[in-house]
Amino acid sequence: MLQEKSKTEDIAPSWESYVVSQDWESFTDDDHAVWDLLFARQVELLGSRVVTPFLDGIDLLRLSHPGVPELGELNAILEPRTGWRTVAVPGLVPDDVFFAMLTERVFPVGNFIRTREQLDYLEAPDCFHDLFGHIPMLANHDFAEMARHVGELGVAAIAAGEGDRVARIYWHSVEFGLAKEDGELKILGACLASSFGESHFSLESDAVERLPFSVSRAVHTPYRHDAFQPRYLVSESLEATVEAVTATSPEELLAL
Ligand SMILES: [Fe+2]
């Protein structure tokens, strides 16, 4: 997840300075129980409504193992597979830091989990969103390469003062994308996959627009931070999204 860069930051510190210890031992029994509750509830809710590589990733990474995942154990499976690894951060990181992390196949994961009282409302993405929502797809080679490429686009776009362009690509694919699979509409994005309320809404609501995904449309389609999305971009397939995004050079992005 990313946030707006502070206007007062002229020179971004290196992304490493945002990394903290996951401090896995400090998660309480109740934290682990909240993970188990969220995991079981979301897997049941999603059923087959999510693209197949997401479900494959859950299995590959053994995310069904009880309790909050320990990042070292997760990385021991993920890194040899696609070169990606997770690091712990205390909360949202600025856009430029986030995209710099992606270029190095590093994904930031909140070092906290929501409370039982906040199951469906989050002020900032916690480790359930980050780990359940994002990491399964980073075990997929093609998607993982697309995510790294988005990092390259992000660094270049921010340097050109056009960070919104790549934030919108990210939002409409990695966070809120939908994709067809064998003709059926499925969830692709992490915000949808990890959301109790919006996962079904995105697929089933008659009150939203669903428009064909293209990089150009994503670049020019605004999004909401504070409510369910009024429109979703639908890719012909996961592969089509990966192909279109990874084929876009920074120069092309800025010219769209
Ligand atoms: Fe996210």
Side-chain angles (χ1 to χ4, degrees):
M1 201 47 152
L2 46 87
Q3 74 172 114
E4 294 296 316
K5 184 185 177 185
S6 159
K7 300 281 185 280
T8 58
E9 280 175 41
D10 291 329
I11 300 171
S14 71
W15 63 259
E16 286 93 342
S17 65
Y18 287 83
V19 175
V20 297
S21 164
Q22 186 192 19
D23 203 8
W24 187 84
E25 292 74 18
S26 70
F27 285 106
T28 65
D29 288 349
D30 201 48
D31 290 334
H32 292 301
V34 166
W35 171 279
D36 293 345
L37 174 63
L38 287 166
F39 183 90
R41 189 179 74 158
Q42 202 64 21
V43 165
E44 187 181 347
L45 185 71
L46 289 176
S48 60
R49 291 177 178 83
V50 65
V51 294
T52 304
F54 182 93
L55 297 171
D56 294 343
I58 295 259
D59 288 342
L60 273 162
L61 298 167
R62 299 177 200 146
L63 289 175
S64 61
H65 187 273
V68 174
E70 201 274 316
L71 298 189
E73 289 177 14
L74 191 61
N75 290 343
I77 307 172
L78 181 61
E79 199 164 5
R81 186 171 166 83
T82 60
W84 278 80
R85 66 190 167 96
T86 58
V87 294
V89 292
L92 288 166
V93 299
D95 282 15
D96 53 351
V97 173
F98 179 75
F99 289 124
M101 286 177 158
L102 299 192
T103 66
E104 297 193 42
R105 299 188 177 91
V106 170
F107 200 88
V109 173
N111 67 343
F112 61 95
I113 191 162
R114 69 197 73 179
T115 65
R116 209 174 272 279
E117 291 70 40
Q118 288 179 309
L119 280 192
D120 299 315
Y121 178 75
L122 276 185
E123 286 181 16
D126 68 344
C127 72
F128 183 74
H129 166 79
D130 291 330
L131 290 172
F132 183 88
H134 285 285
I135 307 306
M137 291 305 293
L138 293 177
N140 175 273
H141 291 95
D142 294 337
F143 188 93
E145 176 52 23
M146 182 191 85
R148 193 203 59 75
H149 186 72
V150 169
E152 302 281 356
L153 293 177
V155 168
I158 289 171
E162 296 282 353
D164 283 353
R165 286 174 176 259
V166 81
R168 288 174 177 173
I169 292 178
Y170 182 82
W171 198 265
H172 289 299
S173 57
V174 176
E175 293 288 8
F176 286 93
L178 298 174
K180 291 181 190 165
E181 194 177 75
D182 299 328
E184 257 188 90
L185 191 60
K186 303 267 182 168
I187 289 167
L188 170 61
C191 268
L192 298 179
S194 62
S195 167
F196 186 68
E198 199 168 353
S199 51
H200 280 228
F201 175 87
S202 66
L203 294 174
E204 293 156 16
S205 172
D206 293 331
V208 299
E209 279 186 290
R210 293 182 192 84
L211 304 169
F213 176 89
S214 70
V215 173
S216 175
R217 175 170 274 144
V219 163
H220 297 293
T221 301
Y223 55 82
R224 295 285 301 263
H225 273 295
D226 55 345
F228 286 0
Q229 301 302 312
R231 65 189 64 81
Y232 299 94
L233 300 193
V234 181
S235 187
E236 276 307 301
S237 65
L238 166 61
E239 293 75 17
T241 292
V242 166
E243 208 169 294
V245 173
T246 51
T248 303
S249 69
E251 295 72 27
E252 286 166 335
L253 171 70
L254 295 173
L256 283 171

